[in-house]
Amino acid sequence: MFNPQTLPQMDNRPAPQPPVQNIPGEIITDEKKTRNLSTEELQKILEEIRRKLDYFNIQLKIDIDKDLEIPVVKIINIETNEVIRQIPPEYLLELMKKIDQMLGILLERRE
């Protein structure tokens, strides 16, 4: 007969994370450290990512949303020009725009 008390107890603690290593040419971040990149360094990193993505026949496109002024990253299939993935997704961008509009209306009424 099955007795759940005889089963080993599961440990719900998160697994320990390996230490962060500083490898040249890679961006490494954790909660305690952030690295400020120059425009040239960022351009070099983006170009390297684009070259690697060409092997998979996909393109990386990074735009700034004109209304929200945040970066929008799209991964596009080069052959079909189809958006494979967008970060943040379109529905989230629309939600953020509507929240901004509502906040604007509330602030106008307060004044």
Side-chain angles (χ1 to χ4, degrees):
M1 178 172 245
F2 176 72
N3 185 355
Q5 294 175 345
T6 61
L7 293 175
Q9 295 296 318
M10 298 296 289
D11 187 5
N12 291 332
R13 290 180 290 172
Q17 298 295 320
V20 176
Q21 298 177 0
N22 192 2
I23 301 170
E26 292 188 16
I27 301 172
I28 302 199
T29 59
D30 64 4
E31 291 143 14
K32 298 176 185 169
K33 284 199 276 187
T34 58
R35 179 177 169 203
N36 293 330
L37 295 175
S38 70
T39 305
E40 294 86 22
E41 288 176 315
L42 186 58
Q43 289 297 331
K44 287 179 185 178
I45 292 170
L46 288 174
E47 188 57 39
E48 181 67 24
I49 291 171
R50 287 184 179 117
R51 274 199 306 267
K52 289 181 180 182
L53 289 176
D54 283 343
Y55 292 116
F56 299 105
N57 206 23
I58 56 178
Q59 174 186 16
L60 178 69
K61 184 177 180 183
I62 301 173
D63 293 323
I64 303 295
D65 185 276
K66 61 182 178 180
D67 297 328
L68 299 170
E69 297 179 353
I70 61 170
V72 177
V73 178
K74 292 182 181 180
I75 301 174
I76 300 170
N77 183 325
I78 295 174
E79 292 177 355
T80 63
N81 209 25
E82 172 190 7
V83 176
I84 299 170
R85 168 83 47 116
Q86 178 177 319
I87 304 168
E90 194 63 41
Y91 72 89
L92 193 54
L93 289 173
E94 293 301 319
L95 178 63
M96 290 168 33
K97 289 176 186 178
K98 288 179 182 178
I99 289 172
D100 277 355
Q101 289 173 349
M102 291 171 54
L103 287 174
I105 291 170
L106 288 173
L107 290 176
E108 285 176 9
R109 289 185 181 174
R110 266 185 123 185
E111 294 175 352

